[in-house]
Amino acid sequence: MRDNNDMPGHLARRFQQIAVAVFLAEVGEAGFDLTPVQYAALATIKANPGLDQVTLAGLIAYDRTTITGVVDRLVQKGLAERRASPRDRRARELEITDEGRRVLRKITPAVESAQQIMLRGLSAREGEELMRLLRKAIAAGNELSRAPLRDMQA
Amino acid sequence: MRDNNDMPGHLARRFQQIAVAVFLAEVGEAGFDLTPVQYAALATIKANPGLDQVTLAGLIAYDRTTITGVVDRLVQKGLAERRASPRDRRARELEITDEGRRVLRKITPAVESAQQIMLRGLSAREGEELMRLLRKAIAAGNELSRAPLRDMQA
DNA sequence: TACTGATAGTCAGCATACTGAGCAATATCG
DNA sequence: CGATATTGCTCAGTATGCTGACTATCAGTA
């Protein structure tokens, strides 16, 4: 029988588990309380002011039902704002707050450090190669999950 | 700023997301209702009859608080049994049922197929290399999560 | 314009995962 | 032996992620 260590699915889960733990540890030590998902959402909102939730979900490959809760928590923490879109009354436009900008700026070193720690067993070249292979596998499987990555439309 | 696609943490989340979706799709098409986590637990119980929950958790790197629910559902589906250990009254010994054995046997082709599909963007050599790099990164980060991989004690 | 279909967002329900706390039982050591 | 520490398990609470359903709104078309 195939061993766990020969199962890409098992290795994926394990690597992600470590990645999240490292992220939370680094960010927590820096004095912040932000999850990987919240960080990605906030950074994307900052880079695309006024985007709606579906677009945000597509840009970071979240399910749209997950985004609701994530944005709820960003708003609740005062890092982002959600307001009705003037052009489409179904949509909510998202904006980062000054406090959100401040947190993003201060948190960046911890996030960078986390990315390094989760690759600490690999050489620089191996780390690059791992990322390349992950990107390639992800690109081929993009449409297989309910929350595929999507480009900006306009 | 570092792009999402240059963040190993983001790539890890995305790859795992696809891996789970592929697993559920393949297994579902084969007519079974088993999650990746439940599958790993059941296979490990079969390979190590009579093991307790903490040992099971260590062998597949789950948090012990997660195992409780997973085993609950395996028991509820009639695939595994949980009984008090005669040697340690705190511990529960786990055993696979005949139905569990039958399901494992029948489900194997779908699981195998899923492992291939999630690597379909890569050549055979690239798939091997990806798994090697993941194993190496995981080994170096094993102690960084609350649920590290553990060997059998006995 | 009225109908039809698609879209944005939310919600209920379920299954991982984690933190932190607690209980019962076992191990260890003075 | 008795106090202390450790261990196996569970639980409450929170945060992803998913399925499926629903409402409100918009877009396209007959």
Side-chain angles (χ1 to χ4, degrees):
Chain A
M1 210 202 41
R2 202 193 254 243
D3 185 74
N4 267 340
N5 269 11
D6 295 324
M7 300 261 215
H10 176 79
L11 298 172
R13 185 185 70 82
R14 189 80 187 96
F15 185 55
Q16 214 256 332
Q17 183 181 43
I18 291 168
V20 171
V22 168
F23 185 101
L24 292 176
E26 288 299 302
V27 165
E29 254 174 59
F32 293 97
D33 173 32
L34 212 63
T35 67
V37 166
Q38 288 164 18
Y39 170 80
L42 190 56
T44 303
I45 291 171
K46 183 192 170 200
N48 304 274
L51 85 175
D52 64 289
Q53 293 186 190
V54 166
T55 305
L56 170 59
L59 288 174
I60 45 188
Y62 293 8
D63 193 274
R64 71 186 189 285
T65 63
T66 302
I67 277 290
T68 299
V70 173
V71 172
D72 278 352
R73 286 179 279 278
L74 287 178
V75 169
Q76 215 250 315
K77 290 177 182 177
L79 307 179
E81 282 174 4
R82 175 158 45 186
R83 39 168 213 268
S85 163
R87 286 163 306 180
D88 185 339
R89 279 192 297 173
R90 293 169 301 178
R92 315 297 177 84
E93 289 187 353
L94 304 174
E95 208 70 59
I96 190 170
T97 64
D98 288 343
E99 172 67 5
R101 248 180 282 268
R102 197 187 67 83
V103 166
L104 260 192
R105 203 167 45 239
K106 291 227 178 183
I107 214 179
T108 298
V111 173
E112 271 304 311
S113 155
Q115 306 306 307
Q116 309 226 341
I117 291 174
M118 65 184 75
L119 295 183
R120 71 177 181 182
L122 307 181
S123 70
R125 182 178 315 171
E126 284 177 326
E128 282 304 321
E129 179 68 359
L130 175 58
M131 288 200 281
R132 184 184 77 81
L133 293 171
L134 283 174
R135 278 191 289 263
K136 197 170 174 184
I138 289 166
N142 189 46
E143 299 304 323
L144 300 179
S145 81
R146 174 165 137 162
L149 196 70
R150 297 281 181 229
D151 287 343
M152 284 287 289
Q153 301 291 18
Chain B
M1 210 203 42
R2 202 194 255 243
D3 186 73
N4 266 340
N5 269 8
D6 296 324
M7 300 260 213
H10 176 80
L11 297 173
R13 186 186 70 83
R14 189 80 187 95
F15 185 55
Q16 215 256 332
Q17 183 181 43
I18 291 168
V20 170
V22 168
F23 184 100
L24 292 176
E26 288 299 302
V27 165
E29 255 174 59
F32 294 97
D33 173 33
L34 213 62
T35 68
V37 168
Q38 289 165 17
Y39 170 80
L42 191 57
T44 302
I45 292 172
K46 182 193 170 200
N48 303 273
L51 85 174
D52 65 288
Q53 291 186 192
V54 166
T55 305
L56 170 60
L59 288 173
I60 45 188
Y62 291 10
D63 193 275
R64 69 186 188 288
T65 63
T66 303
I67 277 290
T68 300
V70 173
V71 171
D72 278 352
R73 287 178 278 279
L74 288 177
V75 168
Q76 215 250 314
K77 290 177 183 178
L79 307 179
E81 283 175 4
R82 175 156 47 185
R83 35 170 218 267
S85 164
R87 286 162 306 183
D88 185 337
R89 280 190 298 175
R90 292 169 303 181
R92 313 300 174 85
E93 288 187 352
L94 304 173
E95 208 71 57
I96 191 171
T97 64
D98 288 344
E99 172 66 5
R101 246 180 282 268
R102 196 186 69 80
V103 166
L104 260 192
R105 203 166 45 239
K106 291 227 178 181
I107 215 180
T108 298
V111 173
E112 271 303 312
S113 156
Q115 306 307 309
Q116 310 227 339
I117 291 174
M118 65 186 74
L119 295 183
R120 72 178 182 183
L122 306 181
S123 69
R125 183 179 315 171
E126 285 176 326
E128 283 303 321
E129 180 68 359
L130 174 58
M131 288 200 280
R132 183 184 78 80
L133 293 171
L134 284 174
R135 277 191 289 264
K136 197 170 175 185
I138 289 166
N142 189 47
E143 300 304 323
L144 300 179
S145 81
R146 175 165 137 163
L149 196 70
R150 296 288 181 221
D151 288 342
M152 284 289 288
Q153 301 293 19

